Amino acid sequence: QVQLVESGGGLVQAGGSLRLSCAASERIFSFNAMGWYRQAPGEQRELVGFFTSAGGTNYGDPVKGRFTISRDNAKNTMYLQMNSLKPEDTAVYYCYLRDGTVYWGKGTLVTVSS
């Protein structure tokens, strides 16, 4: 079965940076959609960023200009580079793959202190 494992979360000060990784048990190029969401405490899941059909990227408004997603097909891994972190970025971050169905990782917690 498809498994995704996020890593790299932790505690960081406002203004700092973190890079999250998402390791997949399948070849990620087999999927036609992939990216990252996040869920803050008591809030709904929110788009962070995703890869477009044309191979580009798109981002949710709260993270535009600060976050960057990338991928390494050889490692079957997606990345989320987070810069200029704010306390409101505190959330559990989830990666996903979609092809017929959607597969989610368990999430990794990012806590940004003021």
Side-chain angles (χ1 to χ4, degrees):
Q1 291 185 293
V2 176
Q3 290 187 311
L4 301 172
V5 180
E6 301 95 339
S7 62
L11 177 64
V12 63
Q13 293 184 185
S17 299
L18 280 177
R19 187 180 72 163
L20 307 184
S21 298
C22 171
S25 64
E26 300 287 336
R27 292 175 290 277
I28 60 175
F29 60 76
S30 299
F31 296 84
N32 56 26
M34 62 192 76
W36 294 84
Y37 275 74
R38 68 185 184 184
Q39 188 166 24
E43 302 294 330
Q44 293 184 322
R45 192 167 293 188
E46 176 185 52
L47 173 70
V48 174
F50 65 94
F51 294 93
T52 68
S53 298
T57 55
N58 207 350
Y59 298 91
D61 286 339
V63 309
K64 286 180 180 177
R66 299 188 296 120
F67 290 11
T68 304
I69 61 172
S70 61
R71 61 191 179 189
D72 185 334
N73 289 335
K75 294 181 178 292
N76 296 317
T77 301
M78 294 184 286
Y79 302 96
L80 174 62
Q81 178 66 47
M82 304 183 293
N83 299 324
S84 302
L85 283 161
K86 305 174 181 180
E88 52 262 44
D89 294 319
T90 295
V92 177
Y93 285 73
Y94 301 89
C95 62
Y96 74 91
L97 300 174
R98 182 176 66 82
D99 188 11
T101 189
V102 180
Y103 304 93
W104 297 96
K106 294 182 298 183
T108 185
L109 177 63
V110 173
T111 302
V112 184
S113 62
S114 60

